Amino acid sequence: MPHTASRWLAEGPRVGIRHFAYDDGPEFAARARQSKDLHHPWLFPPDSADAYTAYASRLIEDPAKAGFLVCEKDGGDIAGFININNIVEGAFLSGALGYGAFAHAAGRGLMKEGLGLVVGHAFGPMRLHRLEINVQPGNAASIGLARACGFRLEGFSPKMLFIDGAWRDHERWAITAEMRACS
């Protein structure tokens, strides 16, 4: 479904970001199914209509989460998604990022542009101060994206998250509003 620039929360030369909508389900689920090989074993986005509805509902309705679709400006195709989870206000002003590219968009720099837009939105209108990305050490593409967008490696957390049937180690990458370098 094509989207006009007026629907973007922020836009760059090739992509715009916008919030998830329930009517994105068919395209999102189809792209997730087409991207299973790319995502496994790191990520398991919803690949059916019912799973998408449940997933999108959490991102749309929970004030501690914000979900963004990275869409190609030329045609509006969904290239990937970036979520800010565990948003904490008060003195912390922080959130944890999770993201994934879809296979048709992987390796084209669209997610770098999209992540830069989300970081700008988080540090601008959302008024957050810090964002953290937790990445499994073997996920070179995800680590490369974090590094390319100015995130710094802050530590290692053994058996941090339960993914694909086991507790997985993660590297912790973070950026603060003062460090912002991704564009």
Side-chain angles (χ1 to χ4, degrees):
M1 169 175 27
H3 301 282
T4 62
S6 63
R7 293 193 57 187
W8 305 130
L9 295 167
E11 64 181 296
R14 298 182 299 154
V15 303
I17 59 168
R18 62 179 177 79
H19 288 297
F20 278 70
Y22 290 109
D23 63 359
D24 292 312
E27 181 185 357
F28 190 100
R31 298 232 183 256
R33 287 190 301 274
Q34 295 162 357
S35 304
K36 277 189 183 294
D37 290 342
L38 175 67
H39 293 153
H40 186 78
W42 320 113
L43 182 64
F44 301 90
D47 62 359
S48 71
D50 288 344
Y52 174 83
T53 298
Y55 179 75
S57 176
R58 290 188 299 271
L59 293 168
I60 293 167
E61 297 174 19
D62 185 343
K65 298 179 187 300
F68 302 92
L69 294 174
V70 177
C71 301
E72 295 182 68
K73 287 173 56 178
D74 182 19
D77 292 345
I78 300 172
F81 54 97
I82 302 169
N83 301 328
I84 306 176
N85 299 298
N86 305 322
I87 297 170
V88 179
E89 296 183 346
F92 201 34
L93 291 175
S94 181
L97 289 174
Y99 49 77
F102 289 125
H104 76 283
R108 295 174 43 206
L110 301 176
M111 288 301 290
K112 180 179 184 232
E113 187 177 324
L115 183 55
L117 295 171
V118 169
V119 168
H121 186 76
F123 291 156
M126 292 179 71
R127 298 186 336 264
L128 296 178
H129 177 258
R130 175 186 167 84
L131 295 170
E132 186 170 302
I133 299 169
N134 296 294
V135 183
Q136 292 179 60
N139 189 341
S142 196
I143 290 170
L145 180 58
R147 183 179 285 123
C149 286
F151 286 73
R152 69 176 171 225
L153 178 62
E154 290 191 334
F156 180 80
S157 298
K159 301 192 182 311
M160 180 180 185
L161 294 171
F162 194 79
I163 298 173
D164 196 25
W167 288 99
R168 309 289 179 181
D169 298 343
H170 281 72
E171 292 181 359
R172 291 186 323 279
W173 292 78
I175 192 170
T176 62
E178 296 85 1
M179 295 169 52
R180 184 165 186 262
C182 187
S183 56

